[in-house]
Amino acid sequence: MKLYGIGLLLLLFTVNSFAADVDITKYGAVGDGTTLNTIAIQKAVDDCSKKGGGRLIFPEGKFLSGTIALKNNVILSLQKGAVLLGSTDVNDYQNLDPFTEGLGVDVGWALLAAVDVKNIGIEGEGMIDGQGSKLKAQQILTDDRPEGKRWGRRPFLLQIVRCDGVKLNGVTLHYSAAWTSHYFQCRHLDIENVKIVSVGVAHNDGIDIDGCQDVTIKNCDVESGDDALCFKTTSSKMPCSNIVASGLRLKSNQGAIKMGTESMAAFENIKISDCYIYNTTNGGIKLLTVDGANLRNVEISNITMVEVKTPILIRLGSRLSVFRKGQDTQQQTGTLENVVIRNVKAKAADNAQLMPPSGILITGVPGHYIKDLTLENIEIQLAGGGTAVNSRQVVPEAIDKYPEVKTFGPLVPAYGIWARHVDGLKLNNIKFTLGSNDVRPAFICEDGKRVELNGWAIPETTGAQAVIRLENVSGTKISNTEVKGSAESFVRVEADGKPAVDLQSNKTPGIKTLIDYQKPVTVPTAN
């Protein structure tokens, strides 16, 4: 025991003797906003790591730089008033981990990059500013490719690859030229009290978690031009798993919480809670798997949304793209199962991607069902305005298309929840309010099994054919649901035969017929 104690003391002494605070100005870095400091800062990082690690201090000032590669045991500490400023010349950046993102564009350049290192961090009250708009303006003077191709050459703010032990705390990330922070196949990742404002150019994702494990994200504030909190798996080799995110404020010009734009490896054991989503233009919660991933054991709870276009989209599809060429092969269609979304209050934007607006879209593809999905304690305020013609809108399958709300446009035939290709759908304590009359059904299910509705509050509407429409659905139970308005039927069943519908303790005083059985209706598809 004495020898063990002496050995431990010697180890602690050795680590502490190497760890030190180093001011980057001691290496010749100049904080005037114009001097390019790439070489000086990189030298400071390299020396610090070689000596066992420590903190690199960025004092007050604007330190212009191209790509900096972080090394083992180095923490960047940005003091109050310190800015690490990205160069506006794309030639000052390196791509240490090239790959292809979901739209087929080659990406990976970055201002701060870390590949295969351990115990790194970024902390402090300072800022990292990518000068995205200025960089784009400079780039297009010499790069005449279409913007859809050109943007990939622009650098991320952070590109952290296969690292173990990564901590961000307190820093502000501003105006990336592409994705703001991308973490690929990292373990033990902690992001806390980080503020992101990244708008002005396209593809300004906020936080991208790509095949990472053991992740905590807490008390962050994200305002992004693209997806705010986005989970990806651009490789089939490592899933996104064991992740907890809480206490987030999210504003986005795309999706606030998104999972699966790129989806080769699994998304599993993920919990997201206590988030405020506001002024978001392309979806509040979007759970997607379209490239072969298994999305399972995901729980999202205690979410407030204000002015969000289409609060929830859940999609299992068969696009089956490959993003890291030569490292992966095309996969089979994945699965989406055992997902719970609870305690959500949403004010949906009156002007949405699909008009008139709808609250929740859920769809698999033929032969591949979304299984065991539970939504409970959901309140959504909607504009209304749907017509009888709208209630018969045919929604495209879009089996191999990019997974987006507009993919299923121009509208869906239910104002509340529209579901297709589902097995084991539980919808408990759902409440909708409408700004104007809407004669679309509150709920439509197409091709479903084991569907349960319990404790719904249906707002007052008039002139509807049905409150609920079931098309080729078996094993339906509807209970404790109150309908305040009037309609021809409470439940309209369209199927060959008469599949049983179990009705228990519902209040439907204004409804003429409880169950109306009809043959399937064929609606012509518009050219």
Side-chain angles (χ1 to χ4, degrees):
M1 289 299 294
K2 288 183 178 179
L3 289 174
Y4 174 79
I6 293 170
L8 181 60
L9 287 172
L10 287 173
L11 177 62
L12 292 172
F13 175 77
T14 302
V15 171
N16 289 331
S17 66
F18 283 112
D21 289 353
V22 178
D23 190 317
I24 62 166
T25 60
K26 302 299 183 183
Y27 280 79
V30 179
D32 60 5
T34 57
T35 301
L36 190 65
N37 294 290
T38 311
I39 294 174
I41 297 173
Q42 189 63 63
K43 174 65 171 171
V45 169
D46 294 346
D47 284 359
C48 183
S49 182
K50 288 176 183 177
K51 294 176 181 178
R55 297 196 312 162
L56 286 186
I57 306 299
F58 284 70
E60 183 177 355
K62 294 183 178 180
F63 296 90
L64 187 70
S65 182
T67 297
I68 302 298
L70 296 180
K71 301 295 178 67
N72 289 325
N73 305 312
V74 174
I75 296 173
L76 303 188
S77 183
L78 283 73
Q79 304 297 292
K80 186 175 182 179
V83 181
L84 175 58
L85 198 62
S87 168
T88 58
D89 185 347
V90 295
N91 297 309
D92 289 331
Y93 296 94
Q94 302 175 52
N95 190 339
L96 303 184
D97 182 63
F99 69 99
T100 303
E101 56 76 69
L103 295 172
V105 177
D106 294 333
V107 295
W109 288 265
L111 173 57
L112 281 177
V115 179
D116 298 316
V117 299
K118 295 182 178 181
N119 304 324
I120 59 172
I122 306 171
E123 65 177 22
E125 299 180 66
M127 177 187 299
I128 302 172
D129 186 341
Q131 301 196 95
S133 295
K134 290 182 180 179
L135 185 145
K136 177 183 176 180
Q138 287 294 111
Q139 179 198 21
I140 64 178
L141 295 177
T142 56
D143 189 339
D144 60 1
R145 292 178 297 167
E147 177 62 15
K149 297 289 186 182
R150 180 171 56 204
W151 80 265
R153 182 61 182 82
R154 298 200 285 266
F156 301 171
L157 219 56
L158 307 182
Q159 169 74 326
I160 312 298
V161 177
R162 296 185 300 274
C163 295
D164 192 341
V166 180
K167 293 188 177 182
L168 271 72
N169 193 315
V171 296
T172 297
L173 307 179
H174 269 191
Y175 304 116
S176 179
W179 297 357
T180 304
S181 57
H182 180 229
Y183 308 88
F184 175 65
Q185 293 187 347
C186 293
R187 299 178 188 270
H188 306 109
L189 169 63
D190 293 311
I191 304 170
E192 189 168 356
N193 300 319
V194 171
K195 181 174 177 60
I196 294 175
V197 179
S198 198
V199 296
V201 297
H203 311 287
N204 277 148
D205 287 20
I207 299 172
D208 287 311
I209 306 297
D210 186 350
C212 296
Q213 298 182 358
D214 302 312
V215 178
T216 301
I217 305 169
K218 293 174 59 178
N219 302 327
C220 294
D221 191 335
V222 181
E223 180 180 346
S224 61
D226 211 313
D227 301 322
L229 174 63
C230 189
F231 300 90
K232 309 169 179 281
T233 49
T234 59
S235 165
S236 67
K237 305 298 191 296
M238 187 166 163
C240 274
S241 63
N242 302 328
I243 296 171
V244 177
S246 63
L248 310 180
R249 286 178 54 89
L250 305 170
K251 175 184 177 182
S252 171
N253 289 336
Q254 290 295 323
I257 298 170
K258 189 175 184 182
M259 201 171 294
T261 302
E262 295 95 348
S263 47
M264 296 201 71
F267 303 89
E268 55 193 5
N269 303 326
I270 298 173
K271 292 187 177 182
I272 303 170
S273 65
D274 302 299
C275 297
Y276 179 77
I277 299 170
Y278 65 106
N279 297 352
T280 290
T281 61
N282 202 8
I285 298 170
K286 299 160 79 171
L287 303 183
L288 323 165
T289 173
V290 296
D291 302 309
N294 299 314
L295 192 159
R296 58 200 172 198
N297 302 331
V298 172
E299 180 179 318
I300 300 176
S301 62
N302 302 327
I303 308 295
T304 299
M305 306 185 199
V306 178
E307 294 301 322
V308 172
K309 293 184 179 181
T310 311
I312 298 175
L313 168 66
I314 301 175
R315 168 62 161 171
L316 167 62
S318 301
R319 180 182 62 179
L320 306 181
S321 291
V322 176
F323 308 101
R324 293 178 182 264
K325 311 300 182 184
Q327 302 177 34
D328 269 311
T329 57
Q330 189 178 61
Q331 303 189 129
Q332 299 296 311
T333 302
T335 62
L336 198 160
E337 57 191 359
N338 296 326
V339 170
V340 176
I341 301 176
R342 61 164 59 95
N343 302 336
V344 175
K345 292 186 178 182
K347 164 63 174 71
D350 291 348
N351 182 24
Q353 313 97 309
L354 309 181
M355 291 297 290
S358 295
I360 299 174
L361 282 66
I362 303 165
T363 180
V365 293
H368 297 276
Y369 288 83
I370 293 173
K371 294 184 178 180
D372 299 318
L373 170 65
T374 298
L375 306 181
E376 60 186 20
N377 302 330
I378 310 289
E379 296 184 19
I380 301 179
Q381 181 179 340
L382 293 154
T387 66
V389 172
N390 296 154
S391 73
R392 287 295 174 179
Q393 178 70 38
V394 176
V395 181
E397 290 284 359
I399 293 171
D400 60 353
K401 302 303 181 185
Y402 186 87
E404 196 51 88
V405 173
K406 65 182 180 182
T407 302
F408 304 103
L411 59 94
V412 296
Y415 70 76
I417 300 176
W418 172 81
R420 180 172 63 187
H421 310 311
V422 294
D423 181 359
L425 178 62
K426 293 183 179 180
L427 304 170
N428 300 322
N429 299 325
I430 310 293
K431 179 180 180 180
F432 297 105
T433 57
L434 293 170
S436 62
N437 194 50
D438 198 316
V439 299
R440 294 177 294 170
F443 173 66
I444 293 177
C445 185
E446 304 173 19
D447 182 24
K449 306 174 185 178
R450 300 186 299 128
V451 176
E452 296 183 15
L453 285 69
N454 178 60
W456 280 46
I458 306 295
E460 183 172 354
T461 60
T462 59
Q465 183 184 62
V467 175
I468 294 167
R469 191 165 78 226
L470 306 175
E471 303 178 22
N472 299 309
V473 178
S474 62
T476 305
K477 180 179 179 180
I478 303 171
S479 58
N480 302 305
T481 290
E482 181 177 3
V483 180
K484 292 185 177 179
S486 61
E488 291 294 319
S489 62
F490 177 42
V491 181
R492 182 181 172 95
V493 179
E494 297 181 359
D496 292 318
K498 292 188 176 181
V501 179
D502 183 4
L503 300 181
Q504 295 184 11
S505 303
N506 301 295
K507 296 180 180 180
T508 59
I511 304 301
K512 294 181 180 179
T513 303
L514 285 180
I515 302 181
D516 181 16
Y517 286 99
Q518 298 290 335
K519 292 291 185 180
V521 175
T522 300
V523 179
T525 303
N527 293 329

